[in-house]
Amino acid sequence: MDKKPSLLESVIVHTVLLTFVAFAIYPILWVVSLAFSRGGLSSSSGALPVPHDPSFDNFRIVTAGSGGIFWLQLGNSLIVSLATAVVAVVIATPAAYALARFDFVGKKAGMGTLLATQMFPTVASAVPLYLLLEALHLLDSRAGLVLVYATTSVPFAIFQLRGSFETIPVELEEAAMVDGATRTQAFLRVVLPAARPAIAVTALFAFMSAWNEFILAATLLSRETAFTLPVVLQRFVGEHDAAWGPFAAGAMLVSIPVMALFYLAQRQLIGGLTAGGVKG
Amino acid sequence: MEQVETARAPKGSLVSSMETPLPLNALAAEKPVRCEARGIKKAFAGNAILKGVDVAIPEGGFAVLVGPSGCGKSTLLRLVAGLEEADEGSLFIKGKDVTKLPPRDRDIAMVFQSYALYPHLSVRENLAFGLKLRNTPEAEIASRIQEASAMLGLDKLMDRLPKALSGGQRQRVAMGRAIVRRANLYLFDEPLSNLDAALRAEVRVDIRKLHDKLGATSLYVTHDQVEAMTLADTLWVLNGGQVEQSGPPLEVYESPKSVFVATFLGSPPMNLFDAKIEERAGETWAVGQGIEVRDGRARKTSPAAGRAVKVGIRPHDLVVAEDTKTASGELHVELVEALGFEAYAYGWFTSSGPRVIARLEPEHARRARVGDVIPVRAVPERVHLFDAKTEQAL
Ligand SMILES: Nc1ncnc2c1ncn2[C@@H]1O[C@H](COP(=O)(O)OP(=O)(O)OP(=O)(O)O)[C@@H](O)[C@H]1O
Ligand SMILES: [Mg+2]
């Protein structure tokens, strides 16, 4: 069974795999090549993702904006996304735990409502959210955006975390309580650490959904200093002239933090996805 | 009811010479009660599980709770631990009413069937967890862990996470976590059921040794008979939500109070026949379903002639007869099971009667064939009689 594949087999398998990989990363390579091409998209851009006239010009254009506005906008994105992740985890963790462990009046109805909120596309609520934020004087503010993002990321996080709490054996808490813990201590010292991978994954998801979100941000933000990066990016490809070069450079800059987070959270991610390590 | 029967000496002259001495139980007579449950009732969703259970464990006692699956053994243990709340009744530990106290204030330690080791903590931290919560000084924690790890051979595992341990090692860590606590009462819920047979036998011996060494008081739940018989000072047989019988294991085994206890303990299970009492030359005989046996057991009052009874004979006490005259019945062999050190023949006395199991000596076992008819003899002194209706022992 375990014999080494022959050379021919190896070549065939790798050819097929490489074809698929190429298929998947071709657009990405193209964006990368575009980002490093002076002048962006031009008639000389061929089908091959090779930068013509290579330079960092596009990155300079993106980050140069008047008075370092790009860095302000990057800060907006970071703050909003981090805050969304924190709010999601802080609210969802106790809620998910309660839903996983206790029986109470309205549990089913509550779960149903949470599920229902997940079923509507974001655009559907864009207008009412706009009116709400206007009434609260939170348009064009990071707090307003976090609030809006929380409405979708909190329910999602609750579902995710509830599932992972359910995989943690109740006996762990019972053992802790027999050992001398109060229910709160059992939660903080045993359940939370055991759920750490799942919580990390949940936070990452919340962060990413906020980081990449465009429609609501574009609707609710009109002041340039309040923009988050997806809105900034979109501005490069306006109706009249599409600055594809800077757009590609911006897209790369936007992707870097997410990739870095994924890389850092790799182990937690795998742990969270397999929910391992919690079996006594 | 059965309360504090632990301490009572066996009634009548039932103690045969076979019975091993039970020094611990003798001691128990003078020892104060460490843990007592009085009239415990518990229902789940209107479904009564425990219907008034009384259990008392003397200081240093090893009480084993047995019963069929689903009879509420774990429920009772969890009630004692405080993980479940009783509907009625009260619990005392060291004379203190703990009925309403949360688990942490009961000073108990528990070994779970699943071990329930904290997955994110190393073995050392698992052991220290309870002590830290109780603000035990660091030096004391270290010395207790040292002591427990020496007793259980955990030295090399101290810095591992539970997921890097084998089943047997996890079991020992779970034991260690209980030991370091030096609790008033140790609770075990089938702690050996996840181990393979060989390891189970080994750990079983270790548990009893540890119990004695620590001078602990233990309540142990199992449905494994061997564990129950070998570990217990006092056996508590739970059936239908109540304690059906309690006492030293051998006494319960030799003088079961009811058909239930008689058939629950012992493997292979006791043979049972429907029979009638007959008077024969001043002797009491039980006759029916192909069996004819003299009742040679000492009883307070011998049953009257004509009374409908159930006759119970353990397979071990049903042996090959020298001739048909001394035989209690004729076994039509359907199956012979040779275990090496002993052998059992399965079959029937009358085709409409119950299945009968008899013990064969090795030389008989070698010769016995399916279809043989073997005369077998019951040992009169080991005959159990139960009322046919109430199924209580006579
Ligand atoms: N939380 C609960 N809710 C509802 N029913 C329960 C609950 N806990 C136990 N029961 C029921 O109570 C009965 C006794 O359960 P328990 O676990 O005490 O049995 P047991 O004697 O330990 O059995 P086993 O030998 O199989 O472990 C079972 O019928 C079980 O279904
Ligand atoms: Mg059980």
Side-chain angles (χ1 to χ4, degrees):
Chain A
M1 291 303 293
D2 239 323
K3 76 178 171 70
K4 277 207 171 138
S6 72
L7 185 66
L8 184 67
E9 275 175 330
S10 188
V11 167
I12 293 174
V13 167
H14 281 90
T15 312
V16 171
L17 285 178
L18 284 173
T19 312
F20 280 113
V21 170
F23 197 70
I25 68 169
Y26 177 73
I28 298 169
L29 287 177
W30 216 74
V31 169
V32 174
S33 104
L34 204 52
F36 288 103
S37 304
R38 197 194 306 276
L41 200 61
S42 75
S43 50
S44 58
S45 312
L48 278 181
V50 183
H52 61 90
D53 200 357
S55 79
F56 285 100
D57 267 13
N58 291 323
F59 292 92
R60 244 170 262 133
I61 295 170
V62 171
T63 55
S66 58
I69 193 161
F70 175 80
W71 303 109
L72 181 69
Q73 290 159 336
L74 174 70
N76 286 341
S77 260
L78 274 175
I79 290 170
V80 167
S81 304
L82 278 175
T84 303
V86 169
V87 168
V89 165
V90 167
I91 296 180
T93 303
Y97 178 72
L99 287 168
R101 282 289 192 265
F102 305 116
D103 258 324
F104 48 86
V105 181
K107 177 171 168 174
K108 250 189 152 167
M111 291 289 293
T113 314
L114 282 182
L115 194 63
T117 62
Q118 295 286 289
M119 293 191 298
F120 294 101
T122 343
V123 241
S125 50
V127 174
L129 283 173
Y130 184 91
L131 296 175
L132 263 175
L133 286 199
E134 191 174 38
L136 293 169
H137 303 291
L138 284 175
L139 282 175
D140 267 332
S141 77
R142 294 185 284 234
L145 207 53
V146 170
L147 197 62
V148 167
Y149 289 166
T151 60
T152 50
S153 59
V154 166
F156 185 69
I158 290 177
F159 274 102
Q160 259 194 325
L161 288 176
R162 187 182 77 121
S164 73
F165 282 136
E166 277 171 352
T167 64
I168 298 176
V170 187
E171 282 111 77
L172 286 185
E173 284 156 78
E174 294 181 340
M177 289 197 280
V178 169
D179 257 352
T182 60
R183 192 167 254 295
T184 317
Q185 282 173 321
F187 174 69
L188 293 176
R189 295 199 181 197
V190 173
V191 180
L192 269 193
R196 207 163 38 197
I199 292 173
V201 172
T202 306
L204 187 65
F205 277 13
F207 180 92
M208 271 170 40
S209 63
W211 183 263
N212 293 328
E213 203 284 329
F214 167 70
I215 295 174
L216 288 174
T219 313
L220 303 173
L221 306 175
S222 50
R223 221 165 14 91
E224 228 180 317
T225 49
F227 282 178
T228 54
L229 291 184
V231 184
V232 176
L233 274 191
Q234 193 261 348
R235 288 297 168 102
F236 285 115
V237 282
E239 285 166 46
H240 308 296
D241 64 318
W244 288 111
F247 175 81
M252 274 185 67
L253 289 177
V254 170
S255 321
I256 286 168
V258 175
M259 291 199 300
L261 269 179
F262 256 103
Y263 183 76
L264 287 175
Q266 245 177 34
R267 274 186 38 194
Q268 303 279 17
L269 258 178
I270 290 162
L273 295 179
T274 57
V278 285
K279 298 254 158 61
Chain B
M1 297 202 71
E2 241 101 359
Q3 237 186 75
V4 205
E5 192 153 61
T6 335
R8 215 179 288 162
K11 271 175 270 175
S13 56
L14 300 174
V15 193
S16 75
S17 54
M18 274 176 57
E19 191 165 326
T20 49
L22 291 160
L24 273 158
N25 195 55
L27 278 179
E30 300 113 45
K31 294 243 169 148
V33 174
R34 169 63 63 96
C35 169
E36 189 178 359
R38 286 191 204 145
I40 297 290
K41 292 188 186 171
K42 177 72 182 174
F44 287 113
N47 196 358
I49 302 296
L50 300 175
K51 302 169 185 166
V53 173
D54 302 290
V55 171
I57 312 167
E59 222 157 79
F62 201 121
V64 175
L65 205 59
V66 289
S69 190
C71 72
K73 304 182 295 292
S74 298
T75 305
L76 183 59
L77 206 68
R78 293 167 56 79
L79 281 162
V80 174
L83 297 170
E84 211 79 68
E85 221 175 296
D87 299 337
E88 265 179 62
S90 33
L91 278 159
F92 298 85
I93 295 176
K94 251 189 165 174
K96 185 171 146 200
D97 187 342
V98 299
T99 319
K100 293 269 183 285
L101 292 185
R104 64 176 184 282
D105 295 331
R106 297 190 179 196
D107 196 18
I108 38 168
M110 184 161 174
V111 177
F112 289 79
Q113 182 174 359
S114 61
Y115 312 141
L117 301 180
Y118 310 123
H120 59 294
L121 299 181
S122 69
V123 169
R124 185 190 311 282
E125 291 163 331
N126 261 280
L127 298 188
F129 187 84
L131 299 175
K132 279 191 183 147
L133 278 174
R134 285 161 202 272
N135 297 319
T136 316
E138 283 296 332
E140 173 79 11
I141 295 181
S143 83
R144 285 206 208 171
I145 290 180
Q146 183 49 44
E147 190 189 24
S149 106
M151 272 190 223
L152 295 163
L154 296 174
D155 296 330
K156 293 211 178 70
L157 310 174
M158 274 302 165
D159 297 311
R160 289 209 203 155
L161 287 179
K163 66 178 170 211
L165 300 177
S166 73
Q169 291 169 333
R170 285 179 202 187
Q171 207 280 337
R172 275 187 284 152
V173 176
M175 298 274 301
R177 193 170 63 181
I179 288 175
V180 295
R181 289 274 317 283
R182 305 213 176 133
N184 274 333
L185 180 65
Y186 291 82
L187 304 176
F188 300 85
D189 193 352
E190 311 207 21
L192 306 184
S193 57
N194 288 335
L195 303 180
D196 64 54
L199 202 53
R200 208 179 298 166
E202 190 183 317
V203 180
R204 194 177 68 220
V205 176
D206 288 343
I207 288 185
R208 180 71 225 209
K209 279 201 289 201
L210 276 172
H211 167 93
D212 293 346
K213 196 163 169 185
L214 296 168
T217 307
S218 305
L219 176 56
Y220 188 107
V221 161
T222 182
H223 56 234
D224 183 298
Q225 295 196 27
V226 183
E227 277 170 43
M229 296 296 292
T230 53
L231 284 173
D233 300 334
T234 314
L235 204 58
W236 299 81
V237 185
L238 213 57
N239 182 32
Q242 280 180 319
V243 174
E244 183 122 344
Q245 185 170 3
S246 69
L250 283 177
E251 184 189 314
V252 176
Y253 179 83
E254 285 171 5
S255 316
K257 279 187 181 166
S258 65
V259 170
F260 172 80
V261 177
T263 49
F264 184 74
L265 291 178
S267 170
M270 184 184 275
N271 297 302
L272 278 177
F273 306 90
D274 293 327
K276 278 216 158 51
I277 298 295
E278 283 181 17
E279 235 1 267
R280 290 184 187 171
E283 291 175 334
T284 308
W285 284 69
V287 181
Q289 294 194 312
I291 190 170
E292 256 180 72
V293 63
R294 184 172 67 84
D295 174 28
R297 207 177 164 92
R299 292 178 206 285
K300 273 173 281 176
T301 52
S302 26
R307 182 165 182 181
V309 293
K310 280 190 194 298
V311 182
I313 301 163
R314 293 203 183 276
H316 195 263
D317 302 328
L318 197 59
V319 295
V320 176
E322 295 76 40
D323 53 57
T324 40
K325 263 202 242 112
T326 58
S328 314
E330 292 190 324
L331 182 69
H332 297 68
V333 179
E334 284 181 326
L335 174 76
V336 177
E337 222 176 49
L339 302 171
F341 60 99
E342 62 184 356
Y344 290 98
Y346 291 68
W348 40 271
F349 282 176
T350 62
S351 53
S352 61
R355 192 182 64 179
V356 180
I357 308 168
R359 176 164 60 98
L360 300 181
E361 295 302 331
E363 73 265 24
H364 292 125
R366 258 191 296 279
R367 266 186 282 126
R369 294 283 171 272
V370 172
D372 284 0
V373 180
I374 306 176
V376 292
R377 177 177 64 84
V379 181
E381 292 73 29
R382 307 264 179 78
V383 167
H384 302 267
L385 293 181
F386 304 95
D387 185 89
K389 279 224 181 61
T390 64
E391 302 206 330
Q392 296 297 304
L394 298 177

